Amino acid sequence: MTSNAEPGPASGKGPVGVSGPTRSLWLGLLGISSAVSAAALVLAGIVAVTLNGWAGLLSSSFGGLLVMAFFGISLLIGHFVGRNNPSGAIGLFVATYFVKVIGFAVVLFAVGAPEWLHGRWFLIGAVVAVVTWQAAEIYGFSKARLQIYNDPEPDKGNTDV
């Protein structure tokens, strides 16, 4: 049987490096998600300032930055807790989620809506940030190298290999 594949470097010529788990998954996700959301908020801000002036720009930025802070806290918790207790990070995510929802709600109700806040652009900025943040997190998780199984420990007393 013949192959129509182009000739390339022969396989098995040279060392293959060891691949391990991603070093800092949570900080990597924080970086990529923040960058993507910030870029999307800049684009939304350009449209907002064009259509509704500075109030639209400030409102969309405020809505988006609030969402970014909400999600960023979770990733930072995952980073600091996940290093020492990876299985405990999920439980802490759930606990802090409720604290964040209640905390942000209390702040928003206590402070109230400023005069300059444009409700529609606030919502647009928040939705843009949520959608782009989640898309970036999905992309980041898809590229992460997570170690699923523990590597077997070498048995020093067993000579039958």
Side-chain angles (χ1 to χ4, degrees):
M1 183 176 251
T2 61
S3 171
N4 61 357
E6 294 182 19
S11 61
K13 301 282 186 187
V16 175
V18 175
S19 176
T22 304
R23 258 189 278 166
S24 179
L25 172 66
W26 306 111
L27 290 181
L29 289 174
L30 179 63
I32 191 170
S33 298
S34 297
V36 169
S37 293
L41 282 177
V42 167
L43 295 176
I46 290 170
V47 175
V49 78
T50 303
L51 297 178
N52 288 100
W54 293 106
L57 172 68
L58 290 174
S59 298
S60 68
S61 299
F62 181 56
L65 290 173
L66 191 63
V67 167
M68 290 173 66
F70 187 86
F71 286 132
I73 290 169
S74 295
L75 292 177
L76 287 173
I77 288 171
H79 171 69
F80 289 113
V81 174
R83 286 188 289 176
N84 299 327
N85 186 5
S87 61
I90 299 300
L92 199 55
F93 275 146
V94 173
T96 57
Y97 179 79
F98 291 114
V99 170
K100 288 185 303 184
V101 168
I102 292 169
F104 279 116
V106 165
V107 169
L108 288 176
F109 286 126
V111 171
E115 290 294 321
W116 54 265
L117 188 71
H118 192 282
R120 182 179 304 131
W121 282 109
F122 178 82
L123 179 64
I124 289 171
V127 169
V128 164
V130 165
V131 170
T132 55
W133 188 283
Q134 292 298 309
E137 273 191 349
I138 290 170
Y139 174 78
F141 272 119
S142 73
K143 297 297 180 188
R145 298 187 54 93
L146 302 173
Q147 185 172 355
I148 298 173
Y149 302 105
N150 288 334
D151 291 331
E153 294 292 327
D155 189 13
K156 296 186 188 252
N158 187 1
T159 58
D160 299 335
V161 177

